[in-house]
Amino acid sequence: MAQQDRHPELECGLGSWDNEAYGNHRMLVRVTSGREVVGAELPWRRTDPDPRSVDVLVLAPSGRRIRNTVPVEVTAERGRIAFEPVEGPGTYAVHYLPYAHTGRPYYPQAAYRQPTPTADPGWVHRCGLQDPERGWPRLERAETFRYEAVSAVDSFAPLGFAATEEERVALTAAHPHEPFLLFGEDRAHPLGRIGRLPARWARSAPFGAFSGAAALGEFYVLQSGIHAVAALEEVTAEVRGLPFPSRCLSTGGTDARGLRFEKRIDIGAGRVHALWFGLDVPQDAEPGAYEGEIAVRARGTAERVLPLRITVGPESVADHGAGEPARLARLRWLDSTLGQDDEVVAPFTPVKAQGRRLEILGRSVELGDDGLPHRLTSSFTPRVTGTEGPEQELLAAPVTLTVGRPLDRGSLTLDQPGPARVRWSTTATGPGLRLRTEGELEADGFLVVRATLEATEALDTEVRLDVPLHAGIARYAMGLGLPGQNCPDSFDWSWDTPTRNQDALWLGAPSAGLQLSLRDEHYTRPLNTNYYREKPLVTPRSWAGDGDGGIRLRTADGVRTLTAFSGPLRLAAGERRRFELRLLLTPFKPLQPARRLTDRYYHAYASPAEVAAYGANVVNLHHATPPNPYINDPLLAADVLRAYTEDAHRLGIRVKVYDTVRELTRHTPELPALASFGDEVLAPGPGGGHAWLREHLGTDYVPGWVASDVGDVAVVTSGDSRWHNSYVCGIDRLRQRIGVDGLYLDDVAYDRTTMKRVRKALTGPGSTPPVIDLHSCNQYREPDGFASSANLYAELMPYTDRLWLGELFDYENTDPAYWLVELSGIPFGLMGEMLEGGGNPWRGLVFGMTARAPMTDVRPLWRAFDALRLPEAELTGWWADTAPVSTGRADVLASTWEGPGGTVTALASWAAQPVECVLTAAGGPVAAYAPAIEGFQPERTFAAGEPVPVAPGRGWLLTMEFASVTSP
C-alpha cells in the first residue's frame, strides 16, 4: 500500500491464509533469536467493542499454530503477547480477530473465539510468566513490522486504526476552544461507520487545506471528517467559492418520490462523522486549480471552514465518471429523478377523463361528490386475454366513508398533471370537524384516496369505510391472514402489525377484482423476506384507532361488504388523522399466452452457446456468477457482463440480470458513504451476521445474503431511500451501456413508484420491450409476517412480465383457488412459473406454467408446444366462464388452446383418488389423442365417450379429435 494508506507505525498489505480459521487480520512479527520465549507488542488500534473477550492466535513461519502463547495485555490500543518461537528466527503471524461462522451458509453468524489458555504450565513457569505483567519486562522483544488483511475489502487501513487516548488528548489540547475539528479526506479512504477518531486524523493538522484532482465532466466526491469535541446538534454544511455546482450529500437531497428533504445530523461528544460532498465539474471547465471551502456549523457553534484546492486536469470522463465505480461518482445518482413523470408506460393507455368517469385500460372509475368511487367496472374478457368484453360492475353500491357526523360537501375538482394520472379533491365540513379528501388514479389501475379528518373542536366519533362488492365478482380472497382461497361469506380481522405484515385484502375474480390496503401518513415500507421483524409495519393510528379498529367481511343478498372501522376515536381540537385507502383494480393488463410459451428460460450460469444448445432464448444471470458476481451491483463486472450480453445477442438470446435493491454487496464502493448516512439507506437492526459486517458496520444493521464462493457479503437496505434513485440510474446504465434486456427480481424491497421508474429506465428509445420477472419465496411464514406473496407484490405487477412465485410453495396440498390466486398471476394479468421441487407439471400446465430450466428438464414440453403449435393458438383457461372442452368434474380442470394445430387441452386432477372423466365439447363426447411426452405422459388414444383415467395430482396434454360431419 502507498505511504498514505499505512498504519501509523507499520507498513500495511494483504496476505493469504485460512481466514475462516484465523480471522481476517494479523500482524507480522520478526524473531531474530532462538530464545524459548519472546514478547511482541502489537499496536493494533482496534475498534471492536471488547478486545479482551477475543482470542489471539500465533502461527509459526510454517503456518503451525503455537500453543505456548500467553496474552500479557489486551486493550483496544495494543496487545502484548508472549510466545515460544518454536521454529527459531523468522516471521511469525499474530491473528487477533479469529472467529467461527455458524448457522446457515447463506446467513451465517460469526462467533469470535474466546480466549482459551493453551500454554503448557511447565513452559509458563520456566519463562517466568506465572505473573505475566512482572515477567513481561524481562522478555526479549520480537519486532512487529507489518499489518495484513486477508483482502482489500477486509482491510482496516487507513481509517480503521483508532487513535490512542494520548493522541486524542493531545489533539484536543492543541485546539482548546474548538467545539469540533474538521479533516479533509479523499474518497479512497471512506470513514464509513467507524465512530472512533482515526489515528490518521489525530496525527494530522485539523482545518488543513484539502487538495484533490478531478477530471473534466466528473462528479468529484470527497469527504470531510468531523471530530466532535463536544456534542453537536443539527450539523449543516455547504461548499463555497467553487465555480461549479456542489452539494452536501449527507445533509439531504431528493427522496425516492422526487421530493426534497433535509436530514438532521447529531454527533455525540468524542465521536467522529464523515460528511460527503459532490462537485459537478463541467466538461468545458478550464483545466487548472480552483479554491473554495467547506463550511460546517452546528446549533450554538460558530462556523468552521476547511479550505479546498481542486485541480482539474485536461483529461475528461464520460457520464460524470459513473463508468468507474471506484470514483464514487455514482453517488450523483442519489438525487436523480429519472422516470419521475406522469408519462404512460406500455401497454397502458392514457387516463381518459369524461366528467367524473375516468377510463383506463380495461377498467373505469366513476367518482361521487365525496371523491370516492361510486362505480368500478372491468371490460376484461373472461379469458383475461383482452379488454373488449362487456363491462362488469364490481360495486353493488358506492364506496362510502362515514365520520359519524352529517357533512356539507363542497365541489369536486379534477385535474390531469400528465397522461398517466388524474387527481381530484374536495372538502366537507360537519359539526366539530373538517374533512379534506384527495385522490388520484393512474393508468395502471392504482387508485388512492386520502381523507384527512381534522377536529375543529373536541371530537368523539368513529370512522367507517364500506366497500360493497357483487358476490359474483368477489369469488376469491387473499390477504389479512387469508391465503388465496374461495372467498368466505364472513370474516373478521384486527391489527397486529408487530407480527403480521398485513394491511391489504384482494377480492375478485380473474377478470375483475380489487385490492384494498389501508394506510396513514406514518406508513413506511416494511422489510420483507426473513427481515420483517427487524422493520415491521407501522400501525396506522387512524384505521386502528385506539386499538379497537379492524376489518370485517359480511355477505347478504348477493353482496359482499368489506368494512374497515376505527372504533371509538377521540380527537382534541386541532388534531388530525389521515385515512388512506388504496385500491388496485385488477387485472392490470391482458394475458399473453403466446409470449409465455415462446419465451424459453434458462435460469443458471452457462455460456450463451450452451444456453442456445439447450433450446432456450432467454437467460437469467443470477448473482454469484462470473458476469454478475456481486449481489445487486452488476455494474461492478460491466465489461464481463457486456461481453456476455453481446455474445448472447448474436445467438438470439435475451439476457436478464438479477438486480434488486433489498441488499447491497460489500464490494459496492459507495457502501461506506451510504453507511455514514445512518439509517437512511441501510436498515437499522440487530447487527451480527458475517464477520465482515461486524468489523466494518458496527452494530446497527440487518445482515444480508452471503455467497462464500465469490466472497460476497451483503447488508440489508431500507425499504425506501435515495438508494432507489441510484438503483434506477443503474438500471438505465445496464440497458444503455451493457445492453441487458430485462431484470430478474427476487423479493423486491421497493414500492410501485420505483418499479414504474425501473420499467421506464428499461424502455428506452429504440430498445426492444424489456422482460421483467418477479420471483418470491413464500412470504406466508412467521419470519415474513404471514403475507401472501401475490398480495405483497400486487402493486409491482403492472410493470412486470412474469411471476416466479414458487420457492417454498406447496404444489401438492393446495387447491385450484390457491393456485389461481397465489401462484398463477392470472387475476393480475400475468402468467407464472413454478420452482419448488420442480412444481407439478400437470397442474401447472392448466395455468400455462412450467418449471425452471435447467433445474427441471422442460425441453420435452417445449418440443410438444412447438409440435402442437400452441404459441399460435388462443388459450381459454378453465377460469373462463365457458370452456371449449369439459371434463365433467369440478376436481379435474381443463384449459384449451385452439389454433392452427387444432384443439389441444391440458387437464389436471385435484381429486384425492384416481378418477375417470369423459371429455365433451359442444355438449357431446369427443375423442382425444395423447402424444408421447418424455417424463410427462405416454402415447395413448381415447375414443369418444371413453373415460380418461387421471391419477391424483396428474393429468394429460391431449389433442381433440372431433368427428367429421358430412352432408346427407
Side-chain angles (χ1 to χ4, degrees), residues 42 107 156 440 536 612 649 688 700 717 745 773 950:
L42 310 161
Y107 293 101
F156 288 142
E440 57 186 72
H649 286 173
D700 193 15
T717 62
L745 301 177
D773 295 354
V950 189

Side-chain angles (χ1 to χ4, degrees), residues 457-812:
E457 58 186 50
L459 188 64
D460 187 350
T461 189
E462 180 176 23
V463 175
R464 192 175 103 171
L465 172 74
D466 287 301
V467 183
L469 295 162
H470 288 292
I473 293 293
R475 302 204 306 265
Y476 302 100
M478 172 180 59
L480 302 184
L482 294 176
Q485 60 185 269
N486 292 306
C487 186
D489 289 335
S490 178
F491 176 65
D492 291 273
W493 177 89
S494 58
W495 294 92
D496 182 17
T497 57
T499 62
R500 298 290 188 271
N501 188 8
Q502 297 170 3
D503 65 352
L505 178 70
W506 178 85
L507 295 170
S511 60
L514 61 82
Q515 183 202 64
L516 169 68
S517 59
L518 303 175
R519 301 179 181 180
D520 69 2
E521 68 272 27
H522 305 293
Y523 175 86
T524 60
R525 191 168 183 83
L527 297 182
N528 60 339
T529 316
N530 302 318
Y531 309 125
Y532 176 74
R533 288 167 296 181
E534 272 72 44
K535 186 187 176 186
L537 279 168
V538 177
T539 303
R541 289 188 62 209
S542 53
W543 293 109
D546 295 325
D548 296 321
I551 295 174
R552 61 176 173 260
L553 179 69
R554 298 291 184 267
T555 305
D557 301 325
V559 177
R560 298 198 199 279
T561 301
L562 186 65
T563 300
F565 52 91
S566 67
L569 192 65
R570 297 172 180 84
L571 303 180
E575 190 175 355
R576 298 179 181 180
R577 296 283 175 90
R578 190 170 86 184
F579 296 81
E580 180 175 309
L581 55 136
R582 293 184 167 210
L583 298 175
L584 294 176
L585 307 181
T586 62
F588 300 115
K589 51 193 175 183
L591 300 176
Q592 295 182 293
R595 183 178 180 183
R596 164 64 192 84
L597 297 179
T598 303
D599 290 347
R600 311 286 166 82
Y601 278 72
Y602 191 94
H603 191 100
Y605 172 68
S607 70
E610 291 170 317
V611 175
Y614 190 87
N617 54 24
V618 183
V619 61
N620 281 342
L621 288 179
H622 218 276
H623 67 94
T625 59
N628 186 18
Y630 303 127
I631 191 168
N632 298 335
D633 200 345
L635 291 172
L636 295 181
D639 292 341
V640 177
L641 181 56
R642 183 185 300 109
Y644 183 98
T645 301
E646 290 171 352
D647 287 347
H649 286 173
R650 281 191 287 269
L651 296 173
I653 298 169
R654 285 169 289 169
V655 176
K656 297 165 51 264
V657 296
Y658 182 112
D659 187 14
T660 79
V661 76
R662 188 186 71 223
E663 295 156 294
L664 190 58
T665 170
R666 66 173 176 168
H667 293 280
T668 293
E670 298 87 353
L671 182 59
L674 304 179
S676 75
F677 294 171
D679 63 0
E680 180 196 344
V681 174
L682 304 188
H690 192 276
W692 186 91
L693 300 172
R694 293 172 178 263
E695 293 168 7
H696 294 272
L697 292 182
T699 57
D700 193 15
Y701 59 87
V702 179
W705 184 266
V706 172
S708 57
D709 51 349
V710 293
D712 197 17
V713 179
V715 61
V716 175
T717 62
S718 168
D720 185 15
S721 76
R722 278 186 294 170
W723 190 243
H724 295 177
N725 297 333
S726 182
Y727 171 71
V728 172
C729 290
I731 299 301
D732 183 62
R733 188 172 184 85
L734 282 172
R735 176 185 63 83
Q736 293 199 51
R737 301 293 182 178
I738 310 299
V740 301
D741 303 285
L743 297 175
Y744 174 78
L745 301 177
D746 183 2
D747 277 314
V748 178
Y750 48 76
D751 66 359
R752 63 178 303 278
T753 299
T754 299
M755 184 75 252
K756 180 169 50 175
R757 296 172 66 195
V758 165
R759 187 81 192 189
K760 291 177 180 179
L762 284 171
T763 313
S767 62
T768 57
V771 182
I772 301 177
D773 295 354
L774 176 59
H775 161 264
S776 177
C777 180
N778 189 354
Q779 302 280 300
Y780 199 80
R781 305 180 305 134
E782 189 270 337
D784 307 309
F786 297 102
S788 296
S789 295
N791 205 42
L792 186 66
Y793 296 125
E795 65 175 346
L796 309 181
M797 293 182 188
Y799 304 103
T800 57
D801 298 284
R802 186 173 303 200
L803 297 181
W804 300 63
L805 306 181
E807 194 172 354
L808 297 184
F809 282 87
D810 184 355
Y811 297 108
E812 303 301 329

Side-chain angles (χ1 to χ4, degrees), residues 833-883:
E833 303 278 4
M834 298 177 292
L835 178 57
E836 189 72 26
N840 182 307
W842 301 275
R843 291 178 174 177
L845 199 53
V846 300
F847 294 92
M849 302 166 70
T850 55
R852 176 184 288 189
M855 296 171 63
T856 300
D857 189 357
V858 295
R859 287 175 294 181
L861 280 174
W862 289 353
R863 290 190 287 267
F865 296 162
D866 292 338
L868 298 172
R869 301 180 71 177
L870 296 190
E872 305 169 64
E874 189 77 26
L875 171 65
T876 302
W878 66 269
W879 54 88
D881 293 339
T882 58

Side-chain angles (χ1 to χ4, degrees), residues 183-185 207-212 220 222-224 238-242 244 246 277 279 289-295 305-311:
F183 303 88
E185 189 59 80
F207 308 110
F210 172 82
S211 296
Y220 180 76
L222 70 146
Q223 57 183 329
S224 174
E238 63 177 327
V239 178
R240 297 193 299 229
L242 295 176
F244 28 81
S246 59
F277 300 86
L279 316 177
Y290 295 85
E291 294 186 352
E293 62 184 19
I294 292 175
V305 298
L306 182 76
L308 296 178
R309 182 179 176 87
I310 307 299
T311 301

Side-chain angles (χ1 to χ4, degrees), residues 45 77 161-168 196-203:
R45 299 170 170 270
E77 295 183 0
F161 302 121
T164 65
E165 181 64 21
E166 181 180 352
E167 290 167 340
R168 290 192 294 271
R196 297 179 60 183
L197 177 68
R200 173 181 168 92
W201 292 355
R203 297 160 72 96

